Each structure stands twice: as structure tokens, then as C-alpha cells.
């Protein structure tokens, strides 16, 4: 816990040292103010008592004391409000820093982290206003500091009267402290345990709200079922939270009773003091204020300490997320070699064997494949045979445990990952439809050339996007979809062309198409493949398709079965060998007849 606190201080110091310094100074000043006030009110009451006994007395001292009290009140208000403002500012600064640290972690996480529920759950836990929650223990620590200074002042004063008053004031705080600590811990672990349920709940809620799911939910009549599922999960988590809350409030009532008992004890001591020692009225009132103040403040102190403890568990979890590293990430390519300027020997896969993280079955088994520079390869095979996995490994998205992939003579492990990605142009089946402008949708293919209008026009003309742009209200500046603005909706085929334009805008030397045309009809799909073939004539192209008519256009067809290459050859060769490909081709040939 102390390690996490150190981590937290360093984090806050890095992003808001000036603000942190000002806030801590104000905390000290605010801590001293009540003690000064106690002294001033004691003196004022004594002076007023004297004035009652001697009405002719000069009352300028009383006026001065009242003026000082006014000034202390005003200063306290100024300090408090300034501190509130600074806290607001610091919260914003930290919110930005913490959220960007989380997002930075997410964008730099290897792709396989997204297959790990523990990573998702952790992300969900730390994602909820992290800046606010990180500042919270610090704010509480400041509050503790302020209260500590005030209590110390009160205790010194009480000690000058009688030691037993100090003891009683302090004893009252211990039970409350223990209760708060216990429930602080319980609350955190409850939230920890409920995270998977909360994720399920949030997912269901997003399905119900999401524009894309709206159609299916209506057609399948899933609305009430999903609403019930969400509602049940909500009630379940709420019941658990209420259970702890009930116990906590019961315990706090008990502790309040105990505090009241200690307060009565202090009152008895005061009565005894009045009887046994000469005491002025101002002192009497000040003792009452100091005892009550100390008890009230120690109660607050225990609540705050427990809260700090609870919030520190969050901070600890937050920093653990930022430091999270799965052992498998050691296999992630960390090379620095540049990508070969132009492939001369081609791409070689040697004994590539792969299993997804935390699974035991090999999805790819001893894959041996050589792809010549400029060759057009089609990969076909049943669902789940490993086609997408193979290209993901080729793209360096998943680390290889066994075997090697070489681009000319450079191993994928030696290549700098950004070099590899820069040289690849990929369109996935589930390509993204960015709710930004058309320019962004194409330019994201190569963000460094987002403003290169000539290049954009060129790919737009060759892919048919230019025609789409002409019909949009604001051309390339039109927002697509309706998520962010009153943008324009496009058809599946139009989105498809934009995805193609984005991929070609990248100018990679290797083109990978992972069933990007699955949403299109077979004839349209053929059109797209022909277009890609014409536009990428000299480039190495690998495409995955379930449509044999498209695969037929390739120089070579690879047939995958259960993570292995079962057949390989041209359309003619594979038809002649009468194996899996021939069977698949013939069964689909009827579609086109
Ligand atoms: N992220 C993942 N984590 C664990 N297993 C996975 C993951 N992705 C795929 N798999 C498993 O790996 C196997 C191969 O999947 P892959 O997506 O490579 O097949 P595919 O041939 O591309 O299938 P399809 O034609 O249906 O797209 C399947 O059994 C699948 O369940």
C-alpha cells in the first residue's frame, strides 16, 4: 500500500506539482485557523464577562478581538474556496493524465491482450473517472493533514487543562476507525468481484442502445429478454451493495453511541474541574469546544483514513493496470531491422505453429509456405481452419511461439513492428467504418498523408469513391454515418469501396484481404477482386475467401484444414487432383450456373 501511495504521489507530482504545492500549503493554513479561532473566542468571552462585571470598562480590546475573528473567518473562507478551485483544476489535470495513461496502455497492448478477460475486467475497473479517483486519496490525505493540525492544537490546549480530556477525546475515535477500515476493504473487494457482472450489464445496455444492434433486436424480439437480463444483473449487484451498506450503517450507529458515551464522560470531567479549580467562563466554553471539536474531528479522521485505504486499493489497481504485462508478451517482436526495400526472395513461413494465449490446441501446425514477390495467393478452407490466424501471424499481430516468418532474409522477430505494418495493406472482413469524415476514412490508411489531396483523389478515382464523394453534401468533408453528426448513411458496397480506398492509400508492398467482400454478392465480390488485382499488379497479395470463383483468379491457391496446409497449387492443378478444393469448387459452381 505504501508503494502505491509513493507511486500516486509521483504520478500527481509529474502532472500537477504547482497545484499540489499550493493545495498542501492551504491545507496547513486551514488546519491552523480553527485553533486561532478557539483562542480568539476564549479571549472574547473572557473580555465580555469582564465587561458584564465592569460596564464602564474600555471595550476596544473586545472590538479588536471581534475584528480578528471576522478576519479569520474571511481568510478561512478564502482559503477553503481557493482550495476547492485548485482541487477542481487538479482533478481535471489528473483526469486527463490518468485517462491518457490508460488509453496509452490500451493502444500499446499486444493484440492478444484483447483475448484475455482479465485484461478487459481490469480495464473496466480502472476506467471509471480514474483522475477523480486518484485524487481522492490525496484530497483525503490533505484533509487528514488539516484535521491533524487542528486536533493537535486542540489537544495541546486540553492538555494544559487536564490529561484525561485528551485521553477520552482520542479513545472515542478508535472503534469508528476500525469499523470504517473494515467496510472500506469490503467495499473494494465487492466491486472487484462484481466487475464481470458489471461488464455483462454494460454490454447488454450498450446492445439495447446501439444503433447497429437496433435492427436485429427488433427482428428477433430480443428487447424484453435483454432488458430483463440487464435488470436482473443490476438488481443482483445492487442487492450485494445494499447488504454491505446495511451492515456498515448498523455498525456506525453502535459507534456513534460509543462516541456519545465518551462525550458524556468528558462533560463529567468538566463539571469536576469547575468544582475543583478556579476556571474562567471563556476557558470553560473553549474546553467544551475543544473536546467536542476533537471528538468530531477524530471521527472524521477515522472515516477519512478508511476512505484513503479504500481509494488506495483503487490506486494500487490502477498502477497495476499500467504495469500489467502478460508473460506471453515476451514473445512479441521487438526487432529494429528495416523492412526490405523491395522483396526479392519473397515471404517464407517455416514450421509456423501457433496457439492462442491460455489455450492448449494449436490453431496452426507446422505451416511451411513460400510466397514469391508479386505472387497472388488465395487461402481457402472451412470455417475455423486457421486462415485468419495465419494472416494475423504474418502481420505480426500475434507473437510466434514456434517457427519463423522471413521477409527475404529478415526474420519477423528482427523486424521493427512499425516497419512491418507500414509495408502491409490490410482490409479485414470487419473493417472499421469510422463515424468521421470521408477524408478521414480514406486518410487513416496513411495518417502521415492525411492532407495529401492529390493522392486521395487518385485512389478515390480508381476505387469508385470519387463518385460517392460527388453525391455527398460536403464532399470529402462529409461526416459518414449518423453517430457523431447529421452525417450521411452509406450502403454496404459503398463502405466497402471506401475501405478499399483506405487500404490502397497506404501503398503497402504486401496486400492482405481477409474476406473483406463477405458482405457483397458474389458478382460484386469478383469485381472487387479484379479491381484489386489490376490496382496492385506488382504487389504480393494474399486474400482469404470462401468464394472459389474469386480464389480461382489467384496464381496459387492454398487450402487449409485444421490448422495445416492440406493442398496447394493453381486452380487447374487442384481441380485435377480432385481433393478438397475441387469438392468445394464444384459445390459452389452451381451458384453461378
Ligand atoms: N482470439 C482467439 N482466441 C482464441 N481462439 C481463437 C481466437 N480467434 C480464433 N480462434 C480459434 O482459432 C481457430 C481458427 O480461427 P480462424 O479465425 O483463424 O479461422 P478461419 O479459418 O479464418 O475461420 P473463418 O473462415 O470462419 O473466418 C478457431 O477454432 C477459432 O475458434
Amino acid at each position: 500500500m505504501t508503494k502505491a501511495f509513493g507511486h500516486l504521489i509521483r504520478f500527481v507530482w509529474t502532472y500537477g506539482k504547482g497545484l499540489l504545492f499550493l493545495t498542501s500549503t492551504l491545507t496547513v493554513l486551514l488546519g491552523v485557523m480553527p485553533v486561532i479561532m478557539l483562542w480568539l473566542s476564549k479571549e472574547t468571552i473572557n473580555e465580555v464577562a469582564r465587561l458584564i462585571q465592569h460596564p464602564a470598562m474600555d471595550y476596544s480590546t473586545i472590538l479588536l478581538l471581534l475584528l480578528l475573528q471576522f478576519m479569520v473567518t474571511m481568510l478561512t473562507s478564502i482559503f477553503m474556496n481557493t482550495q476547492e478551485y485548485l482541487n477542481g483544476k487538479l482533478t481535471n489535470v489528473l483526469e486527463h493524465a490518468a485517462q491518457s495513461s490508460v488509453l496509452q496502455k490500451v493502444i500499446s497492448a499486444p493484440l492478444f491482450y484483447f483475448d484475455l478477460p482479465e485484461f478487459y475486467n481490469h480495464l473496466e475497473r480502472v476506467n471509471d473517472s480514474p483522475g477523480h479517483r486518484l485524487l481522492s486519496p490525496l484530497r483525503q490525505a490533505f484533509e487528514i493533514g488539516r484535521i491533524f493540525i487542528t486536533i493537535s492544537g486542540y489537544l495541546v490546549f486540553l492538555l494544559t487543562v487536564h490529561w484525561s480530556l485528551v485521553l477520552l477525546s482520542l479513545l472515542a475515535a478508535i472503534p469508528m476507525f476500525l469499523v470504517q477500515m473494515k467496510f472500506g476493504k469490503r467495499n473494494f473487494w465487492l466491486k472487484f468481484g462484481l466487475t464481470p457482472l458489471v461488464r455483462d450489464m454494460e454490454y447488454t445496455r450498450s446492445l439495447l442502445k446501439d444503433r447497429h444492434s437496433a435492427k436485429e433486436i427488433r427482428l428477433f424480439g430480443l428487447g424484453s429478454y435483454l432488458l430483463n437480463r440487464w435488470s436482473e444483473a443490476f438488481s443482483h449487484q445492487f442487492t450485494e451493495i445494499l447488504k454491505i451498506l446495511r451492515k456498515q450503517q448498523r455498525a456506525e450507529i453502535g459507534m456513534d453511541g460509543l462516541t456519545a458515551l465518551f462525550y458524556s464522560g468528558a462533560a463529567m470531567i468538566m463539571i469536576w474541574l469547575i468544582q475543583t479549580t478556579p476556571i474562567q467562563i471563556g476557558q470553560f466554553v473553549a474546553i467544551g469546544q475543544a473536546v467536542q471539536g476533537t471528538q468530531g474531528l477524530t471521527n472524521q479522521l477515522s472515516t477519512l483514513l478508511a476512505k484513503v485505504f479504500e481509494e488506495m486499493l483503487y490506486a494500487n489497481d490502477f498502477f497495476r493496470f499500467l504495469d500489467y504485462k502478460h508473460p506471453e508478451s515476451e514473445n512479441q517482436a521487438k526487432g529494429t531491422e528495416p523492412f526490405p526495400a523491395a522483396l526479392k526472395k519473397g515471404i517464407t513461413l517455416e514450421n509456423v505453429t501457433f496457439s492462442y494465449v491460455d489455450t492448449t490446441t494449436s490453431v496452426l501446425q507446422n505451416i511451411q509456405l513460400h510466397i514469391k514477390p508479386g505472387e497472388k495467393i488465395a487461402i481457402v478452407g472451412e470455417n475455423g481452419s486457421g486462415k485468419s490466424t495465419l494472416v494475423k501471424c504474418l502481420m505480426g499481430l500475434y507473437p510466434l511461439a514456434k517457427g519463423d516468418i522471413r521477409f527475404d532474409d529478415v526474420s519477423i522477430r528482427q523486424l521493427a513492428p512499425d516497419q512491418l505494418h507500414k509495408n502491409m495493406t490490410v482490409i479485414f472482413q470487419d473493417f472499421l467504418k469510422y463515424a468521421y469524415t470521408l477524408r478521414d476514412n480514406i486518410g487513416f490508411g496513411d495518417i502521415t498523408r492525411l492532407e495529401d489531396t492529390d493522392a486521395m483523389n487518385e485512389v478515390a478515382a480508381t476505387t469508385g469513391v470519387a463518385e460517392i464523394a460527388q453525391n455527398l453534401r460536403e464532399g470529402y468533408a462529409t461526416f459518414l454515418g449518423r453517430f457523431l453528426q447529421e452525417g450521411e448513411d452509406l450502403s454496404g458496397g459503398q463502405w466497402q469501396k471506401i475501405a478499399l480506398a483506405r487500404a490502397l492509400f497506404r501503398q503497402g508492398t504486401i496486400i492482405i484481404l481477409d474476406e473483406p467482400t463477405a458482405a457483397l454478392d458474389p458478382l460484386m465480390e469478383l469485381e472487387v477482386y479484379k479491381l484489386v488485382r489490376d490496382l496492385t499488379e506488382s504487389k504480393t497479395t494474399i486474400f482469404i475467401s470462401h468464394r472459389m470463383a474469386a480464389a480461382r483468379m489467384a496464381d496459387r491457391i492454398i487450402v487449409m484444414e485444421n490448422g495445416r496446409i492440406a493442398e496447394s497449387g493453381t486452380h487447374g492443378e487442384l481441380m485435377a487432383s480432385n481433393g478438397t478444393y475441387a469438392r468445394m469448387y464444384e459445390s459452389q459452381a452451381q451458384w453461378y450456373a
Side-chain angles (χ1 to χ4, degrees):
M1 197 58 63
T2 43
K3 193 170 148 217
F5 199 73
H7 216 140
L8 177 61
I9 296 282
R10 275 200 300 283
F11 187 81
V12 180
W13 187 252
T14 311
Y15 295 101
K17 46 171 104 47
L19 289 169
L20 193 65
F21 177 74
L22 283 175
T23 319
S24 38
T25 311
L26 285 174
T27 303
V28 174
L29 292 173
L30 279 168
V32 176
M33 287 301 169
V35 185
I36 299 176
M37 203 59 165
L38 183 78
W39 180 80
L40 286 174
S41 56
K42 181 192 86 176
E43 290 301 311
T44 312
I45 293 168
N46 282 342
E47 284 299 310
V48 170
R50 256 201 296 280
L51 185 68
I52 292 169
Q53 282 167 0
H54 313 283
M57 184 186 114
D58 173 21
Y59 52 81
S60 58
T61 319
I62 299 181
L63 287 183
L64 179 67
L65 285 166
L66 287 177
L67 181 69
L68 285 174
Q69 282 197 36
F70 173 76
M71 283 168 62
V72 171
T73 309
M74 281 318 293
L75 274 178
T76 307
S77 168
I78 291 169
F79 292 160
M80 266 168 60
N81 286 297
T82 312
Q83 198 183 37
E84 223 18 65
Y85 169 76
L86 292 177
N87 271 335
K89 199 168 167 185
L90 192 56
T91 307
N92 257 310
V93 170
L94 284 191
E95 201 59 65
H96 181 258
Q99 287 197 22
S100 45
S101 303
V102 170
L103 293 176
Q104 190 60 45
K105 175 75 185 179
V106 172
I107 60 170
S108 59
L111 187 67
F112 77 83
Y113 277 26
F114 291 89
D115 302 331
L116 302 167
E118 76 182 270
F119 180 75
Y120 260 133
N121 285 340
H122 208 157
L123 175 61
E124 188 65 27
R125 281 201 307 275
V126 300
N127 206 20
D128 177 20
S129 346
H132 184 80
R133 298 198 65 185
L134 285 180
L135 186 59
S136 185
L138 265 194
R139 283 182 77 155
Q140 278 143 10
F142 282 137
E143 269 300 280
I144 289 169
R146 181 184 68 77
I147 291 175
F148 193 75
I149 293 170
T150 310
I151 289 181
S152 308
Y154 285 170
L155 290 182
V156 170
F157 171 69
L158 289 178
L159 201 62
T160 59
V161 184
H162 200 269
W163 61 266
S164 58
L165 292 171
V166 175
L167 190 70
L168 272 181
S169 305
L170 288 179
L171 275 181
I174 294 170
M176 192 54 116
F177 177 67
L178 295 177
V179 168
Q180 299 281 358
M181 284 293 261
K182 180 173 162 186
F183 285 99
K185 237 196 234 176
R186 274 203 193 175
N187 276 326
F188 176 83
W189 290 117
L190 176 70
K191 277 184 204 151
F192 193 94
L194 286 176
T195 317
L197 182 75
V198 171
R199 268 188 60 205
D200 188 304
M201 213 169 84
E202 285 305 313
Y203 174 68
T204 311
R205 201 162 72 104
S206 71
L207 276 183
L208 286 168
K209 292 188 310 179
D210 194 56
R211 181 169 177 239
H212 291 109
S213 39
K215 263 187 302 191
E216 228 175 83
I217 286 177
R218 274 152 193 75
L219 286 173
F220 289 142
L222 293 175
S224 319
Y225 168 80
L226 289 176
L227 185 60
N228 263 344
R229 185 187 172 113
W230 171 83
S231 188
E232 271 172 27
F234 192 95
S235 309
H236 179 67
Q237 65 134 6
F238 205 66
T239 312
E240 293 300 312
I241 292 170
L242 279 184
K243 251 191 234 164
I244 290 203
L245 198 62
R246 263 199 306 275
K247 282 187 190 157
Q248 181 170 358
Q249 296 320 124
R250 269 204 296 266
E252 286 198 16
I253 292 174
M255 292 310 112
D256 280 344
L258 214 60
T259 306
L261 270 181
F262 282 119
Y263 187 63
S264 310
M268 307 236 318
I269 293 175
M270 276 161 62
I271 292 167
W272 170 71
L273 281 172
I274 292 170
Q275 286 177 329
T276 52
T277 23
I279 197 165
Q280 284 178 303
I281 180 79
Q283 244 159 326
F284 175 74
V285 174
I287 292 170
Q289 277 178 1
V291 169
Q292 210 168 15
T294 308
Q295 287 186 342
L297 287 175
T298 37
N299 270 352
Q300 267 187 42
L301 200 65
S302 56
T303 311
L304 283 168
L305 276 169
K307 266 241 158 300
V308 168
F309 186 79
E310 187 183 341
E311 295 291 354
M312 278 315 296
L313 289 173
Y314 171 82
N316 194 24
D317 204 33
F318 176 84
F319 292 116
R320 268 195 327 110
F321 177 77
L322 294 190
D323 293 338
Y324 177 82
K325 203 168 176 195
H326 192 279
E328 194 76 16
S329 59
E330 282 306 314
N331 293 328
Q332 202 71 22
K334 299 181 194 73
T336 50
E337 291 278 312
F339 196 84
L343 283 181
K344 290 192 184 71
K345 295 186 185 165
I347 309 169
T348 313
L349 286 87
E350 221 169 52
N351 266 327
V352 171
T353 298
F354 175 82
S355 356
Y356 282 99
V357 68
D358 296 343
T359 62
T360 44
T361 38
S362 294
V363 176
L364 298 178
Q365 298 180 48
N366 295 318
I367 301 284
Q368 299 275 26
L369 178 67
H370 179 73
I371 303 169
K372 289 185 276 211
E375 197 176 8
K376 311 273 181 262
I377 298 273
I379 306 180
V380 300
E382 301 289 327
N383 292 120
S385 55
K387 304 180 294 293
S388 296
T389 308
L390 180 67
V391 294
K392 281 189 216 155
C393 287
L394 194 67
M395 288 182 259
L397 291 177
Y398 284 105
L400 284 187
K402 261 204 224 149
D404 197 8
I405 298 175
R406 285 198 309 277
F407 297 87
D408 280 356
D409 293 323
V410 191
S411 157
I412 198 164
R413 295 190 174 85
Q414 296 165 328
L415 271 176
D418 61 329
Q419 278 281 319
L420 181 61
H421 297 152
K422 214 159 127 187
N423 280 281
M424 290 203 174
T425 287
V426 187
I427 319 182
F428 293 107
Q429 178 177 357
D430 52 352
F431 59 82
L432 278 181
K433 299 171 181 170
Y434 299 96
Y436 301 137
T437 62
L438 174 59
R439 170 178 289 279
D440 291 335
N441 268 280
I442 301 173
F444 282 5
D446 184 355
I447 198 72
T448 58
R449 294 188 300 134
L450 194 57
E451 299 305 325
D452 188 344
T453 308
D454 289 343
M456 200 167 283
N457 284 337
E458 206 182 308
V459 289
T462 49
T463 51
V465 170
E467 281 164 42
I468 302 173
Q470 268 168 14
N471 293 323
L472 294 176
R473 255 173 303 164
E474 294 173 62
Y476 287 99
T478 312
F479 273 78
L480 303 184
R482 287 172 186 272
F483 188 66
L484 294 182
Q485 301 209 3
E486 269 298 295
E488 303 233 10
D489 260 335
L490 299 178
S491 71
Q494 287 172 319
W495 274 113
Q496 178 65 60
K497 287 182 181 166
I498 292 171
L500 183 60
R502 175 162 68 241
L504 294 177
F505 189 63
R506 188 163 189 78
Q507 297 181 323
T509 50
I510 301 166
I511 316 279
I512 296 178
L513 308 170
D514 185 354
E515 277 192 88
T517 49
L520 303 183
D521 64 65
L523 293 179
M524 180 94 170
E525 183 182 38
L526 272 183
E527 289 289 306
V528 173
Y529 281 120
K530 277 186 193 140
L531 182 65
V532 172
R533 193 184 55 188
D534 297 344
L535 295 175
T536 60
E537 216 169 329
S538 60
K539 298 184 178 180
T540 311
T541 308
I542 301 163
F543 69 90
I544 297 176
S545 181
H546 281 285
R547 311 253 173 87
M548 299 308 129
R552 189 182 170 165
M553 290 190 303
D555 299 331
R556 192 150 50 111
I557 300 160
I558 307 288
V559 184
M560 292 204 59
E561 257 172 19
N562 299 324
R564 294 177 189 276
I565 295 182
E567 293 170 25
S568 163
T570 62
H571 170 74
E573 286 165 358
L574 294 183
M575 288 306 282
S577 68
N578 205 17
T580 308
Y581 175 79
R583 211 178 49 249
M584 288 165 88
Y585 186 86
E586 265 149 24
S587 73
Q588 287 187 9
Q590 315 158 22
W591 298 357
Y592 304 99

